[in-house]
């Protein structure tokens, strides 16, 4: 098979890039290791910046998002029993975020790819990248036991943190920056009424908690847990009891418990690989960087990478210019590092660190007091939360 751009991975990064390229007449093929059902079964992000929403509209997948997405003009930070509202709209001159699940974004993208007749090969095994520095790159894989190959001009590595693309960059050219946090998030999805109309981020003695949602009838909750905890030991009742203990009294009283329709533990990590380009390969999304979920930035960073990469590839094919491709890694990384900083900061501010000294804890309390008490600090928080400009 010959194509212009081979895209590895059919998560949000890969599907969005594929859709944007095809709309501009750039031929592409997506290779995904899993089945479509498996990809849709992963419950992940829930909060979209306006930049991501705009890009989804540009990709012509914004209709259901516009109907079903929930505009959120603020959220609460809860310290002890006190709730402090972060008025995103007021602090940023009118900006807000949209609550719409990653599952729905992915489904809308899958439907759009199918409607436009895009080639997405699911269950592509043993994907391997070759000849990245040659006249044309090659991607080999197996499907139903048969060997297959895609010859292309460029490869987009959109295959997430555990994908193969990043590994195709020689070790001596790649620099990894990493921080692993000493805890995880235990998440529960349930068909219950959300405890509040807006998200609540909770800093508590027993650990962080987050009340989020997917719709007004579907809640998403997280609690900080040990990173190596056994999921089996978290019965639904134990989860709801622990969550209730971390919430302020009014929210605890309003909490509607119900059966978990999904329950999982995610480790928390900050990670950046530089550069994001090697010869004919471009990395995007989680393949190049990971943020802890506290700042709700992972999916949004995937969208901004795709914004830069799609424009660069389209400029190459339509205007015969390569300056945007040449600048891609640097341009994307500038925004990535700001989101890394913000996500690290939100995580540090709100979690309970098992190895924190008494001094560390007092500094954390002072910072929480400063952020909740100062308009300048809340403005900086809000500006980052709604998303820095592309
Ligand atoms: P993905 O979604 O991991 O997709 C990569 C795809 O590549 C496939 N793949 C391969 N395909 C072919 N060959 C191989 N060798 C392959 N290896 C892997 C995989 O099967 C997969 O389909 O990466 P992408 O597209 O870059 O998207 C990134 C986002 O998924 C991620 O950043 C977010 O989910 C992070 N995240 C959040 N982001 C936000 O913006 N807002 C949030 O509120 C938010 N909450 C979260 C999150 C992530 C979480 N977890 C579980 C890590 C909450 C959680 C709990
Ligand atoms: C979610 O709804 O899954 C979610 C919301 C906000 C975050 C992280 C996850 O910061």
């Amino acid at each position: 098979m010959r194509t212009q751009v081979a895209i590895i991975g059919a998560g949000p990064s890969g599907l969005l890039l594929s859709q944007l390229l095809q709309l501009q007449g750039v031929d592409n093929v997506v290779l995904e290791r899993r089945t479509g059902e498996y990809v849709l079964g992963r419950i992940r992000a829930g909060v979209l910046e306006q930049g991501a929403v705009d890009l989804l509209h540009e990709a012509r997948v914004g209709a259901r998002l516009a109907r079903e997405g929930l505009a959120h003009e603020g959220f609460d930070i809860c310290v002890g029993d006190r709730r402090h509202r972060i008025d995103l709209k007021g602090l940023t001159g009118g900006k807000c975020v949209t609550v719409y699940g990653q599952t729905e974004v992915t489904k809308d993208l899958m439907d759009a790819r199918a409607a436009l007749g895009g080639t997405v090969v699911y269950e592509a095994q043993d994907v391997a990248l070759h000849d990245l520095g040659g006249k044309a790159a090659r991607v080999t894989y197996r499907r139903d036991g048969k060997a297959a190959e895609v010859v292309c001009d460029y490869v987009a590595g959109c295959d997430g943190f555990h994908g193969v693309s990043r590994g195709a960059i020689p070790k001596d050219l790649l620099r990894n920056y990493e921080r692993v946090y000493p805890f995880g998030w235990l998440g529960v999805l349930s068909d219950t009424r959300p405890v509040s109309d807006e998200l609540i981020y909770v800093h508590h003695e027993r650990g962080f908690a987050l009340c989020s949602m997917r719709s007004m009838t579907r809640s998403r909750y997280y609690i900080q847990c040990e990173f190596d905890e056994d999921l089996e030991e978290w019965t639904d009742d134990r989860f709801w009891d622990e969550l209730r203990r971390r919430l302020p009294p009014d929210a605890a009283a309003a909490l509607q418990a119900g059966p978990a329709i999904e329950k999982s533990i995610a480790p928390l990590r900050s990670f950046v690989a530089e550069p994001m380009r090697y010869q004919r390969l471009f990395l995007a999304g989680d393949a190049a960087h990971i943020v802890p979920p506290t700042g709700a930035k992972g999916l949004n960073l995937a969208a901004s990478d795709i914004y830069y990469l799609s424009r660069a590839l389209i400029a190459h094919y339509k205007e015969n210019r390569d300056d945007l491709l040449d600048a891609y890694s640097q341009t994307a990384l500038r925004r990535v590092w700001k989101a890394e900083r913000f996500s690290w900061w939100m995580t540090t501010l709100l979690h309970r660190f098992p190895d924190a000294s008494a001094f560390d804890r007092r500094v954390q309390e002072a910072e929480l007091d400063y952020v909740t008490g100062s308009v300048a600090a809340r403005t900086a928080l809000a500006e980052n939360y709604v998303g820095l400009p592309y």
Side-chain angles (χ1 to χ4, degrees):
M1 202 169 3
R2 178 77 174 89
T3 191
Q4 290 174 310
V5 183
I7 300 171
I8 319 298
S13 305
L15 290 174
L16 180 57
L17 179 63
S18 172
Q19 176 75 0
L20 289 167
L21 291 181
Q22 190 175 344
L23 287 173
Q24 295 296 323
V26 178
D27 193 41
N28 67 85
V29 170
V30 182
L31 301 176
E32 164 62 47
R33 183 170 57 172
R34 305 284 193 170
T35 62
E37 297 77 66
Y38 183 95
V39 172
L40 281 180
R42 293 188 295 225
I43 307 298
R44 290 184 167 181
V47 176
L48 298 176
E49 297 171 354
Q50 190 58 42
V53 170
D54 292 345
L55 196 60
L56 291 166
H57 280 291
E58 183 185 319
R60 298 195 204 152
V61 288
R64 196 160 68 97
L65 167 62
R67 275 198 316 274
E68 297 177 16
L70 305 171
H72 279 215
E73 297 180 358
F75 62 84
D76 275 0
I77 290 184
C78 181
V79 186
D81 287 346
R82 289 200 57 195
R83 282 162 80 150
H84 306 266
R85 185 154 188 274
I86 307 297
D87 175 11
L88 294 173
K89 194 173 182 189
L91 291 163
T92 60
K95 295 192 181 136
C96 50
V97 292
T98 301
V99 170
Y100 189 68
Q102 178 168 334
T103 312
E104 311 310 320
V105 171
T106 309
K107 186 171 186 313
D108 294 344
L109 283 163
M110 279 179 173
D111 291 348
R113 296 314 299 122
L116 278 187
T119 308
V120 183
V121 181
Y122 286 96
E123 298 179 85
Q125 304 301 319
D126 300 336
V127 168
L129 281 48
H130 313 269
D131 301 340
L132 292 170
K135 275 219 165 74
R138 284 186 309 122
V139 182
T140 55
Y141 63 98
R142 282 188 314 107
R143 174 87 220 270
D144 294 332
K146 287 196 215 80
E149 180 179 89
V150 179
V151 178
C152 56
D153 303 333
Y154 296 109
V155 180
C158 301
D159 47 353
F161 184 65
H162 299 288
V164 290
S165 301
R166 193 173 65 251
I169 303 180
K171 284 213 164 30
D172 55 331
L173 297 181
L174 194 69
R175 182 118 195 240
N176 292 334
Y177 301 83
E178 184 168 38
R179 168 159 301 185
V180 177
Y181 299 87
F183 39 73
W185 276 20
L186 169 61
V188 158
L189 188 69
S190 82
D191 278 329
T192 49
R193 182 173 35 78
V195 70
S196 160
D197 289 351
E198 294 185 341
L199 270 59
I200 311 176
Y201 290 80
V202 184
H203 172 76
H204 192 274
E205 270 295 295
R206 300 181 63 87
F208 170 82
L210 169 61
C211 306
S212 182
M213 66 191 74
R214 289 293 174 272
S215 68
M216 290 322 287
T217 56
R218 181 168 283 188
S219 313
R220 179 66 164 164
Y221 295 106
Y222 298 96
I223 54 174
Q224 176 182 347
C225 65
E226 307 284 327
F227 65 93
D228 56 356
E229 207 138 346
D230 184 0
L231 193 58
E232 296 298 308
E233 292 186 4
W234 280 95
T235 59
D236 290 1
D237 284 346
R238 184 176 167 210
F239 178 85
W240 294 116
D241 285 346
E242 184 59 40
L243 176 62
R244 220 174 266 119
R245 294 176 77 165
R246 298 184 191 188
L247 298 183
D250 58 331
L255 183 68
Q256 192 190 353
I261 51 177
E262 194 265 359
K263 197 187 286 164
S264 53
I265 295 179
L268 263 69
R269 175 195 311 270
S270 297
F271 172 85
V272 181
E274 292 185 5
M276 288 171 62
R277 176 193 189 165
Y278 169 66
Q279 296 177 330
R280 295 181 180 275
L281 169 66
F282 294 86
L283 300 179
D286 279 14
H289 41 72
I290 296 289
V291 284
T294 328
K297 288 286 166 251
L299 175 59
N300 292 301
L301 272 187
S304 61
D305 286 355
I306 296 306
Y307 173 90
Y308 298 126
L309 186 54
S310 60
R311 271 154 180 73
L313 287 165
I314 290 161
H316 169 83
Y317 287 109
K318 296 220 135 167
E319 298 166 39
N320 204 18
R321 45 182 271 236
D322 283 348
D323 54 324
L324 296 180
L325 278 180
D326 292 340
Y328 168 72
S329 177
Q330 216 188 350
T331 313
L333 281 168
R334 258 187 96 186
R335 192 171 192 280
V336 165
W337 273 112
K338 290 192 196 105
E340 288 285 345
R341 186 207 66 81
F342 176 68
S343 304
W344 158 82
W345 176 77
M346 279 278 277
T347 304
T348 309
L349 181 73
L350 294 172
H351 288 75
R352 181 154 177 88
F353 283 72
D355 50 358
S357 66
F359 179 85
D360 296 337
R361 278 206 287 276
R362 281 283 186 270
V363 169
Q364 187 186 37
E365 284 164 18
E367 184 149 26
L368 279 162
D369 196 22
Y370 173 58
V371 169
T372 52
S374 150
V375 177
R378 285 201 305 276
T379 304
L381 166 55
E383 179 185 39
N384 281 276
Y385 195 87
V386 299
L388 296 174
Y390 284 6

